[in-house]
Amino acid sequence: MNTEYQTSVHALHERQSRRKSGPSVLVFLFVWIILIGTGILGAIWYSGKIKQSITLEVGQQTSQQITAMQNGYEAQLKQLEAQFKGDIAKLQGKVDALNELLEFSKDNASNKTDNSNKLFTQLSEVKKQLNELKKDLDVLK
């Protein structure tokens, strides 16, 4: 049989055990919340570091690709410029030849053959000089 004293001691003991378990649950919850918070903060910090690293790598790759493209375009432009200069020089030669032909045709169409025909006049002068050189050569022999 339980006495009233034993019952009150037993009730007091239960209260004390409840009080002891109460703070341990609070400590457990507090530690658990701190661990979860630390994990979240660590994940945020790590993802920031990875984001910064990836951004830096992508920036470097983009810069390298842009430089390579610029070099390629510059090389193509230089090649095209050289090709165009050659084509222009050829075309200029053809234009000059055509101008000479037109000038010769214009001179021949005129009534004044000796005065207006520049090419004929120049050929005459060359023939005269050639004849003079032949005479000088004959004298030297």
Side-chain angles (χ1 to χ4, degrees):
M1 306 212 188
N2 286 338
T3 63
E4 193 175 309
Y5 176 72
Q6 285 178 345
T7 308
S8 66
V9 169
H10 185 60
L12 182 63
H13 191 29
E14 280 184 29
R15 283 187 201 159
Q16 286 178 351
S17 66
R18 281 187 200 162
R19 284 185 187 166
K20 287 182 183 177
S21 67
S24 65
V25 169
L26 290 176
V27 169
F28 176 74
L29 288 176
F30 182 71
V31 169
W32 186 254
I33 290 172
I34 288 178
L35 286 174
I36 291 174
T38 305
I40 290 172
L41 290 176
I44 291 171
W45 174 79
Y46 184 70
S47 65
K49 282 286 197 180
I50 293 213
K51 181 180 177 182
Q52 184 180 17
S53 172
I54 290 173
T55 303
L56 184 63
E57 284 182 32
V58 168
Q60 288 174 347
Q61 288 176 356
T62 303
S63 175
Q64 289 172 353
Q65 289 174 349
I66 288 172
T67 302
M69 287 175 57
Q70 285 176 340
N71 292 338
Y73 286 134
E74 288 175 4
Q76 287 178 350
L77 286 175
K78 287 179 182 178
Q79 181 182 9
L80 286 174
E81 184 179 357
Q83 183 181 359
F84 284 143
K85 283 183 180 180
D87 291 345
I88 288 173
K90 288 178 186 177
L91 188 60
Q92 185 64 41
K94 290 179 181 179
V95 167
D96 289 342
L98 182 61
N99 281 338
E100 288 177 12
L101 182 62
L102 288 174
E103 187 70 29
F104 181 74
S105 297
K106 177 182 159 189
D107 289 345
N108 280 338
S110 155
N111 289 337
K112 302 176 184 176
T113 55
D114 287 337
N115 293 337
S116 64
N117 190 347
K118 293 178 184 176
L119 289 176
F120 183 76
T121 306
Q122 289 175 354
L123 285 174
S124 299
E125 289 176 12
V126 168
K127 282 183 183 180
K128 286 179 187 177
Q129 290 177 356
L130 186 61
N131 286 334
E132 287 177 15
L133 287 172
K134 282 182 183 179
K135 286 178 186 177
D136 290 342
L137 194 73
D138 288 339
V139 170
L140 289 174
K141 285 185 182 179

